[in-house]
Amino acid sequence: MNKNKPIHYFMRPEDSDFLLINNTTEDNTIVEYFDSEEDKDLAKFAEIVKTKPNCNQKHFIVYRGDDYCAVETDNVENTYIFSSTREPFIMSKLVEGLETIDTLIEEDKRFKAMLAKHVPQPGFKLRDANGEIIPDGKGFSLQIVGDPEEVLDKEDDEDTEGLPEEEKLYDDDWLFAFSDSTEEYGYALCASPGNGDIFECETIDDIVYLKHEGGYLYFPTDSNSSSIYIGEAVPTKEQRIEIYYDDDGDIYLTAFEGTFFNN
């Protein structure tokens, strides 16, 4: 049972396809539509949220097809824009009160400062959680590991006590999968709890590319979107994804030279 108050989304009717995606964020959502960009009035939206005390009163979301904008209800000038790739992860933090717009902005600043000092290393090889090199063609998942002190049930009525360690899901365990669909680019990479896709590597001219079901992961260069998609062609230099390890061991998927990022 979800004990968190639902967060209010505002969107255009033509962008409502995202509601068809099955993840925990949409299970706790209230949606209201606006007709056009001219009708997008953040102050008005904030007043609507305040009339609904059973909704999350700290934030609301404006969905704009390519990205999400989190808005602080009491200060609509304070906003945070994020891509569909990070939507489930960011939303869970906002809904559960684990993050605020200010802390998310500070995290972005910290990342960009680290990225500015990052120098790509030749001969890079992707490694698994045990530090072993992942050979080309071997399937693997991309996981954000949660807190071992807070184990989640794999099913609502299933007790996880006694399960093997590899079968347990921890609070904040997230796996990457392609779920959000856009008309122009197809499915975008998202983080969701418990249901992940299988990826593999392919090395071409000493460059490691991530792949899924025969397609290459890439950032589109002709869009303002910061989402990752699948394409048939080998990504160009500008479309490449860099895998960056920070000092804490976290892994970031960044566009070439760090224009956008997803972690």
Side-chain angles (χ1 to χ4, degrees), residues 22-160:
N22 182 24
N23 65 45
T24 55
T25 300
E26 281 74 41
D27 289 343
N28 200 27
T29 298
I30 291 177
V31 175
E32 195 157 329
Y33 297 105
F34 60 93
D35 292 330
S36 65
E37 284 297 301
E38 288 73 23
D39 296 324
K40 188 179 68 179
D41 185 332
L42 299 185
K44 177 182 176 181
F45 293 167
E47 291 306 313
I48 291 173
V49 172
K50 291 176 183 178
T51 66
K52 301 178 180 181
N54 290 327
C55 288
N56 185 303
Q57 292 293 297
K58 293 182 178 179
H59 310 97
F60 62 89
I61 301 295
V62 179
Y63 179 62
R64 303 184 294 188
D66 285 331
D67 56 38
Y68 298 78
C69 180
V71 184
E72 186 177 327
T73 307
D74 290 332
N75 178 16
V76 296
E77 299 294 324
N78 197 21
T79 62
Y80 179 77
I81 295 174
F82 53 98
S83 70
S84 59
T85 307
R86 305 185 72 208
E87 183 265 344
F89 182 72
I90 295 294
M91 285 303 305
S92 70
K93 297 297 185 182
L94 290 175
V95 169
E96 296 171 18
L98 301 177
E99 296 277 9
T100 66
I101 289 175
D102 290 332
T103 59
L104 290 170
I105 291 173
E106 286 303 312
E107 180 182 340
D108 284 8
K109 290 180 180 178
R110 182 181 71 88
F111 170 79
K112 289 175 181 177
M114 290 188 300
L115 192 62
K117 299 182 289 185
H118 171 56
V119 178
Q121 298 297 316
F124 172 86
K125 295 294 183 182
L126 190 65
R127 297 176 181 271
D128 63 20
N130 298 317
E132 300 294 329
I133 292 176
I134 300 176
D136 286 3
K138 181 179 180 180
F140 59 87
S141 61
L142 295 172
Q143 181 179 9
I144 302 172
V145 179
D147 185 354
E149 298 299 321
E150 301 184 37
V151 181
L152 293 176
D153 288 343
K154 296 194 73 173
E155 302 291 343
D156 290 341
D157 58 352
E158 181 182 359
D159 187 0
T160 60

Side-chain angles (χ1 to χ4, degrees), residues 8 11 25 31 59 65 72 83 90 94 96 141 166 170 178 186 199 211 222 226 237 240 252 254:
H8 206 307
M11 69 179 67
T25 300
V31 175
H59 310 97
E72 186 177 327
S83 70
I90 295 294
L94 290 175
E96 296 171 18
S141 61
E166 63 271 13
Y170 297 127
F178 283 93
F199 303 88
K211 300 185 70 176
D222 56 348
S226 57
K237 182 177 180 180
R240 290 177 193 161
Y252 293 86
T254 79

